[in-house]
Amino acid sequence: MRQTSDRTSSGNAELDHILNGGLPTGRLYLVEGAPGSGKTTLAMRFLIDGAERGERCLYVTLSETREELLAVAASHGFDLSAIDIFELSSAEAVLGEGREQSILHSFEVELGGMIQLIQDEVERVRPHRVVFDSLSEMRLLAQDALRYRRQVLLLKQFFAPRGATVILIDDLTAEESGRRDTHLHSLCHGVLTLERVTLDFGAARRRLQVQKLRGVDFVAGYHDFTIRRGGLAVFPRLIAARHHLPFLGDPMESGIAELDALLYGGPLRGTSTLITGPAGTGKTTLALQYVDAACRRGEPATIYEFDERIGTMMVRAKAMGLDLQPHLDTGLLHVIQIDPAEISPGEFAFGVQREVEERGCRLLVIDSLNGYLAAMPQEQQLILQIHELLSYLNQKGVGTFLINPQHGLVGTMSTGTLNISYVADTVILIRFFEAEGRFRKAISVLKNRSGPHEEAIRELRIDAGGIRVGEPLVQFRGILTGTPEYSGEVGPLMEERTRA
C-alpha cells in the first residue's frame, strides 16, 4: 500500500532515525555529494522502498544509460523492474532532426525540450516518488545560473500540486570553479550532504549530514556510513542523553577477594575503569578476570580487541588460569576483532550500542585505547567520542574496562598523546619494579569517583596459578619510580605458584 502518513521513508531505517521519522511527504529534496559518495545507491533504495509499498516510482536519468543503472543495481542485488526509468542521456534524443533549423540558441532549445519531456513522462506515470540524477546536466544545458535556477524553481512548482516526493541529485560540479549554489539549497525543503574522505592509510571514510530539513527536529552533525551490498549502512551519531536509565551502583566482583578489596567490593555497574601500565604488566589479564566472573554470574560480556589476535588472547588467558571458551560456547561472551584501518568511530559506537541494546551486554572491555586512537587520528574528536560512548554505557548500567598502555617500563612513563584518565571513573595503575634482581609488579588504585578505595600499593602476581594480590608493600619506598628502596628485614614478596 502507498505510504499515507505525512512522512516518506528514505528506505534506510537508520537514516529515517536521523530524519526523525523520514522525509516530509510531497516535498523537494537535494542529495549532494562528490562522485563516489553513494548518492545513486541512496536514491535507488529510496525508490525501491516506495515500490515495495505499492507506490509508483520514477527514475529520471540525465547522464547514465539504463544499462549502467541496471549494472549498479545488480551489484547491490536491487530489482528495478517495478520502477519506471526515463532515460535522457543526450540532447539529440530531445531535439530530434530539427535541431539545426531553430533560430533560438541551441542550449535554450535543449533545456526547454528536456524539461517538457520530463513533465510529459511525469504526467504519464503519475509517480509518488521521483529521482533526478543528476542536476549537473541541467546546469550545463542552461549555461546561465539564472536560467538554471529558474528551471529548478519551475520543476518545484510543477511537482507541488502533484504530491510527489522528489529527490534531486547534485554531484557538486559547480564547486570545481569555487562556487557554491546556495540558491539551490534555499529552493529545496531539505538538503542531505554525502562526503567521501580518503585518509593517508586505510579505507576511505564516508559521512553524511542533514544540512536542513524544514519543520523537522533532525539529528544534526556528521554521521558515518559505509556502502555495502544492499545499500548504505548508516551509523547515527550516538547521543548519550537519549539513553538515560536509573543508576544501579552495585559492585562488580572479580572473584578474587584481595582484588575486590582494593575498591571496597569492586568497580560499580555503570562506571568506567581505566587499567593503565606498561606492556606486559597484565592489564588485559586483569580485565579478563572481571569478564570471567561476570559470565559465571550469567551476565553477557563483550570484548573489543584492537591490538591482539583473538586466538592469542584465548591461549594466553587459559595459560593464566582463565578458560573463556565455555563462555563463548554458551554465547555469554562475544569477542570482536576490530581492524582500526577499516572501521570508523561512528561504526564502532553503533556496534557497541547494538551489543547493549540487542544482546544485553553488562560488561564491556576495549583493548586497547591505542587501537581506538588509530581509528580516529584527530585527538580532540577522539576525546569527545570516548566521553559520549562512556556516558552512554554508564547510563545503560554497563561496566566498562579500558586498557591504556603506557610508554616505557620503569622510571618515568607517559601515556603518549592520549590522556583519557580524567574521563574514567576509576583508574588502576600497574607498575613494574625491580627487587632482588627480578622484575615484579605492583598494583594500586589512583582514583575512584564511586566511593572510597584502598590507598596502599600491593604486589601483583600473575602466573599459571592465576591472579594474586599480595600484602601492602610497606617495607619499600619509591615503588612508583620503578627503582624502590627496601628497608625491611624479611622478604615480603610473593613467589610463583601453579594452579592445582
Side-chain angles (χ1 to χ4, degrees):
M1 293 180 61
R2 180 182 178 182
Q3 193 163 303
T4 57
S5 68
D6 61 347
R7 294 297 181 91
T8 296
S9 173
S10 65
N12 186 296
E14 286 72 32
L15 181 55
D16 286 344
H17 170 77
I18 294 172
L19 299 171
N20 199 18
L23 299 167
T25 302
R27 306 297 184 186
L28 187 74
Y29 301 95
L30 174 66
V31 175
E32 61 178 12
S37 57
K39 304 181 300 300
T40 299
T41 303
L42 175 63
M44 284 185 177
R45 193 66 194 88
F46 168 72
L47 294 182
I48 290 173
D49 178 80
E52 291 173 348
R53 298 174 186 270
E55 301 176 359
R56 291 295 299 271
C57 299
L58 175 63
Y59 197 114
V60 180
T61 171
L62 306 180
S63 56
E64 294 182 287
T65 64
R66 177 186 294 267
E67 289 71 23
E68 290 173 327
L69 283 178
L70 293 178
V72 173
S75 68
H76 287 287
F78 292 158
D79 181 10
L80 302 184
S81 60
I83 297 173
D84 291 279
I85 300 177
F86 184 56
E87 180 184 352
L88 196 62
S89 59
S90 66
E92 286 76 8
V94 178
L95 298 174
E97 298 179 356
R99 170 183 178 183
E100 299 300 334
Q101 301 176 5
S102 173
I103 62 174
L104 299 175
H105 291 293
S106 60
F107 61 81
E108 292 177 325
V109 178
E110 291 171 1
L111 182 59
M114 181 182 71
I115 297 298
Q116 186 59 52
L117 282 178
I118 292 173
Q119 291 176 345
D120 292 343
E121 182 69 7
V122 170
E123 292 292 356
R124 185 188 70 82
V125 176
R126 297 186 179 277
H128 305 129
R129 304 189 187 197
V130 182
V131 168
F132 283 84
D133 188 4
S134 70
L135 291 179
S136 58
E137 280 66 33
M138 289 182 60
R139 188 182 291 111
L140 289 173
L141 289 176
Q143 295 191 5
D144 177 80
L146 180 60
R147 183 177 295 106
Y148 165 69
R149 293 167 183 168
R150 184 186 300 124
Q151 291 297 335
V152 176
L153 178 59
L154 289 175
L155 277 177
K156 178 180 180 180
Q157 294 171 345
F158 172 77
F159 281 107
R162 288 166 174 79
T165 305
V166 183
I167 287 181
L168 307 177
I169 295 179
D170 187 10
D171 57 13
L172 300 178
T173 53
E175 290 195 359
E176 296 176 359
S177 58
R179 303 189 309 270
R180 180 86 179 207
D181 194 353
T182 55
H183 182 74
L184 187 58
H185 282 208
S186 66
L187 283 177
C188 297
H189 193 79
V191 178
L192 179 65
T193 302
L194 278 59
E195 297 181 7
R196 182 181 185 275
V197 181
T198 302
L199 304 179
D200 293 337
F201 179 80
R205 300 284 172 81
R206 291 179 169 88
R207 61 182 186 177
L208 63 84
Q209 68 166 323
V210 181
Q211 298 268 13
K212 62 175 279 190
L213 192 60
R214 291 176 181 148
V216 175
D217 184 19
F218 57 87
V219 182
Y222 284 110
H223 310 271
D224 293 327
F225 75 93
T226 60
I227 300 178
R228 299 173 179 171
R229 179 176 172 82
L232 270 58
V234 181
F235 312 110
R237 181 171 60 86
L238 182 62
I239 302 177
R242 299 186 176 184
H243 302 274
H244 182 69
L245 291 176
F247 182 69
L248 299 177
D250 54 312
M252 298 179 296
E253 297 179 350
S254 66
I256 300 175
E258 296 81 4
L259 180 59
D260 293 335
L262 293 176
L263 291 166
Y264 289 20
L268 301 186
R269 299 186 189 277
T271 65
S272 55
T273 301
L274 179 70
I275 305 177
T276 185
T281 50
K283 301 180 298 298
T284 300
T285 304
L286 192 67
L288 294 181
Q289 179 66 45
Y290 284 96
V291 169
D292 180 66
C295 291
R296 291 179 183 275
R297 294 192 297 266
E299 301 172 3
T302 303
I303 303 172
Y304 283 96
E305 273 293 346
F306 282 87
D307 303 329
E308 192 175 12
R309 298 294 95 186
I310 294 178
T312 306
M313 183 202 72
M314 297 291 293
V315 171
R316 181 165 58 86
K318 190 171 184 179
M320 299 301 176
L322 295 172
D323 188 4
L324 303 179
Q325 189 60 47
H327 307 319
L328 287 172
D329 295 340
T330 60
L332 281 172
L333 176 61
H334 277 188
V335 183
I336 303 173
Q337 190 79 61
I338 299 295
D339 185 351
E342 299 296 326
I343 191 172
S344 66
E347 182 176 356
F348 175 71
F350 187 81
V352 170
Q353 190 174 353
R354 295 282 75 80
E355 285 290 310
V356 175
E357 304 284 348
E358 298 178 3
R359 205 174 70 87
C361 173
R362 306 302 299 157
L363 188 146
L364 186 138
V365 176
I366 298 178
D367 186 13
S368 68
L369 287 176
N370 281 353
Y372 191 79
L373 174 62
M376 183 192 289
Q378 297 84 3
E379 178 184 344
Q380 185 59 36
Q381 292 186 29
L382 177 62
I383 295 293
L384 295 175
Q385 181 85 13
I386 291 179
H387 185 275
E388 197 70 18
L389 181 61
L390 292 181
S391 296
Y392 164 77
L393 292 170
N394 291 355
Q395 294 189 67
K396 282 292 187 179
V398 178
T400 308
F401 287 85
L402 309 172
I403 310 300
N404 182 37
Q406 290 182 317
H407 300 312
L409 294 178
V410 296
T412 302
M413 295 188 301
S414 66
T415 58
T417 59
L418 180 65
N419 182 15
I420 200 66
S421 59
Y422 77 94
V423 178
D425 299 303
T426 304
V427 178
I428 298 177
L429 173 65
I430 306 177
R431 287 295 311 260
F432 282 119
F433 70 96
E434 182 271 333
E436 299 178 349
R438 291 170 50 185
F439 270 124
R440 295 182 180 270
K441 302 167 188 175
I443 185 172
S444 57
V445 179
L446 299 186
K447 82 168 187 177
N448 184 23
R449 288 179 183 152
S450 306
H453 63 88
E454 188 176 277
E455 297 179 347
I457 302 174
R458 295 177 177 265
E459 186 183 5
L460 176 68
R461 185 84 187 187
I462 303 177
D463 49 33
I467 297 175
R468 286 182 291 158
V469 178
E471 296 297 320
L473 298 172
V474 295
Q475 297 174 319
F476 285 86
R477 182 176 59 194
I479 289 178
L480 295 185
T481 67
T483 55
E485 296 179 6
Y486 177 60
S487 59
E489 297 181 356
V490 294
L493 301 176
M494 295 185 293
E495 297 301 326
E496 184 176 359
R497 74 177 184 186
T498 58
R499 176 166 293 188

